[in-house]
Amino acid sequence: MTSRNHNQPSPSEITPEPVYQARRRLLMAGAALPLLGLGACEAGSSDAPSSQSATPRPAAEEEQTRFEDASTYNNFYEFGTGKADPARYAHTLQTAPWSVQIAGHAEETGSFTLEDILKPHTLEDRIYRLRCVEGWSMVIPWRGFPLGDLLKRFRPTSKAKYVSFHTKVDKQEMPGTRYPVLNWPYREGLRMDEAMHPLTLLVTGMYGRDLPRQNGAPLRLVVPWKYGFKSIKSIVRIEFTEKQPLTSWNLSQPSEYGFYSNVNPAVDHPRWSQKTERRIAGTSSRLFANRVPTLPFNGYADQVASLYTGMDLRKYF
Ligand SMILES: Nc1nc2c(c(=O)[nH]1)N[C@H]1C(S)=C(S)[C@@H](COP(=O)(O)O)O[C@H]1N2
Ligand SMILES: [Mo]
């Protein structure tokens, strides 16, 4: 993510053009692909691959991101805007005791300890792709349970059309929140049907262990068909609302970050293309990560496209 208050004109994460071009020249010359860790996706065609022609593979069949990459290359602006900042600074975040406020249009509301929140649920391991709006993606084994199973427990009323989420904010523990880089607390939201969708996970761990703080301990969301910023970390408040909730990224740059933020290769970010992504996986270096086509709904279209029937996804980006 970049922010207007943060003077970077373009995301550092996009492969620098000369590197990308050099790589393509090598490919066309038929140079040693395995050395560069490049895959079939890119080797076949020189143009940006059409997302329609690419068949989504189940994430579980794909090469996984290494834990070392998934836990050291992060976006968590509460600890700084650099990718290495969260791993460096998140150790000050107090994750116990932890409580979550449940509020808004539901029959049961109040403050619940993390133990209360988790007790009735069985944690599952699920491998999901997560695609950052800045152009990279990872394949991560998450540990969690469907958000909908939690939400049902509070018996939302018919007025509950959306769900809003807040991250903890503490200037001592989270040094990035001393600066107005974003609207704190970090806020996100989902439409009720998105929140209830079985792909939407509340996550407490990854790679079979508890979440590292930089990945959003002790409780975060993972919404795999949406750009990564919807997957809010270190959640302390969940509210059922009637109106579409405000979100931090939409508040800061409404023309760049919409409420829905479904992964969509056909709708470019105003400052860069969304057609491809750098897949950070396996042992190849981040810089030479495979460039693969970005799929509609991040490859989960079969499961979620029907949520948006009849909506103009260019308007509701
Ligand atoms: N509270 C909070 N949640 C956040 C962010 C953040 O800055 N603050 N960054 C988001 C973005 S832009 C991405 S891409 C993902 C990254 O998740 P990961 O670091 O676990 O891969 O977290 C999302 N959740
Ligand atoms: Mo992101």
Side-chain angles (χ1 to χ4, degrees):
M1 286 290 190
T2 57
S3 143
R4 197 173 284 139
N5 304 329
H6 190 69
N7 51 3
Q8 289 165 344
S10 72
S12 55
E13 289 326 312
I14 285 175
T15 305
E17 194 55 25
V19 175
Y20 185 55
Q21 292 303 341
R23 216 155 24 110
R24 276 188 42 187
R25 279 195 298 276
L26 275 170
L27 282 169
M28 314 238 233
L33 298 180
L35 257 181
L36 292 168
L38 295 167
C41 272
E42 198 174 35
S45 72
S46 54
D47 290 312
S50 115
S51 48
Q52 269 72 25
S53 64
T55 321
R57 268 211 291 162
E61 291 174 14
E62 295 191 301
E63 188 175 26
Q64 284 180 20
T65 302
R66 291 180 302 180
F67 176 80
E68 304 90 279
D69 286 321
S71 61
T72 60
Y73 191 79
N74 302 101
N75 271 335
F76 199 166
Y77 274 29
E78 286 87 334
F79 298 100
T81 55
K83 305 300 167 223
D85 289 342
R88 207 176 287 149
Y89 302 117
H91 60 92
T92 49
L93 176 67
Q94 293 282 344
T95 57
W98 191 270
S99 57
V100 180
Q101 212 70 37
I102 307 287
H105 298 293
E107 286 174 31
E108 198 181 341
T109 55
S111 181
F112 297 83
T113 64
L114 184 65
E115 294 68 34
D116 291 335
I117 293 282
L118 299 181
K119 207 184 299 161
H121 302 284
T122 308
L123 300 176
E124 309 161 28
D125 292 309
R126 287 207 206 162
I127 302 166
Y128 283 168
R129 288 178 287 270
L130 196 64
R131 205 286 195 184
C132 178
V133 73
E134 288 172 75
W136 82 87
S137 61
M138 296 188 180
V139 179
I140 297 178
W142 303 104
R143 197 185 67 193
F145 63 96
L147 171 68
D149 291 352
L150 176 78
L151 298 184
K152 278 181 222 152
R153 284 168 53 197
F154 305 108
R155 298 184 304 284
T157 70
S158 59
K159 279 191 172 168
K161 306 275 194 259
Y162 296 88
V163 189
S164 113
F165 305 86
H166 286 188
T167 295
K168 182 176 185 176
V169 52
D170 183 304
K171 288 197 169 87
Q172 296 309 312
E173 298 174 22
M174 306 162 99
T177 64
R178 293 171 201 162
Y179 311 96
V181 178
L182 279 177
N183 289 269
W184 313 116
Y186 192 99
R187 271 166 266 178
E188 258 309 333
L190 295 171
R191 211 171 58 189
M192 200 62 185
D193 57 345
E194 300 176 320
M196 300 303 290
H197 193 282
L199 275 180
T200 305
L201 279 197
L202 257 184
V203 163
T204 62
M206 57 189 228
Y207 299 86
R209 48 179 124 171
D210 286 347
L211 277 177
R213 287 174 169 78
Q214 58 268 35
N215 292 90
L219 191 67
R220 72 172 292 176
L221 215 57
V222 174
V223 193
W225 72 94
K226 292 177 180 283
Y227 290 116
F229 62 89
K230 301 295 284 183
S231 293
I232 184 172
K233 296 175 170 179
S234 306
I235 297 168
V236 293
R237 181 181 170 87
I238 300 177
E239 181 180 352
F240 298 95
T241 69
E242 193 168 9
K243 287 197 287 186
Q244 183 175 298
L246 298 175
T247 68
S248 291
W249 281 104
N250 182 251
L251 278 167
S252 91
Q253 292 172 81
S255 64
E256 304 193 355
Y257 309 107
F259 176 76
Y260 285 94
S261 300
N262 293 319
V263 173
N264 191 345
V267 176
D268 287 337
H269 184 281
R271 292 183 282 135
W272 59 83
S273 162
Q274 294 291 17
K275 289 191 178 62
T276 63
E277 63 204 49
R278 278 191 307 120
R279 173 61 54 80
I280 299 173
T283 53
S284 55
S285 79
R286 287 168 193 158
L287 186 61
F288 290 104
N290 279 348
R291 190 160 283 278
V292 300
T294 290
L295 300 171
F297 299 104
N298 200 26
Y300 300 93
D302 282 0
Q303 291 152 85
V304 300
S306 64
L307 297 175
Y308 310 101
T309 314
M311 280 176 69
D312 178 353
L313 296 177
R314 290 183 171 275
K315 185 172 171 209
Y316 298 101
F317 62 97

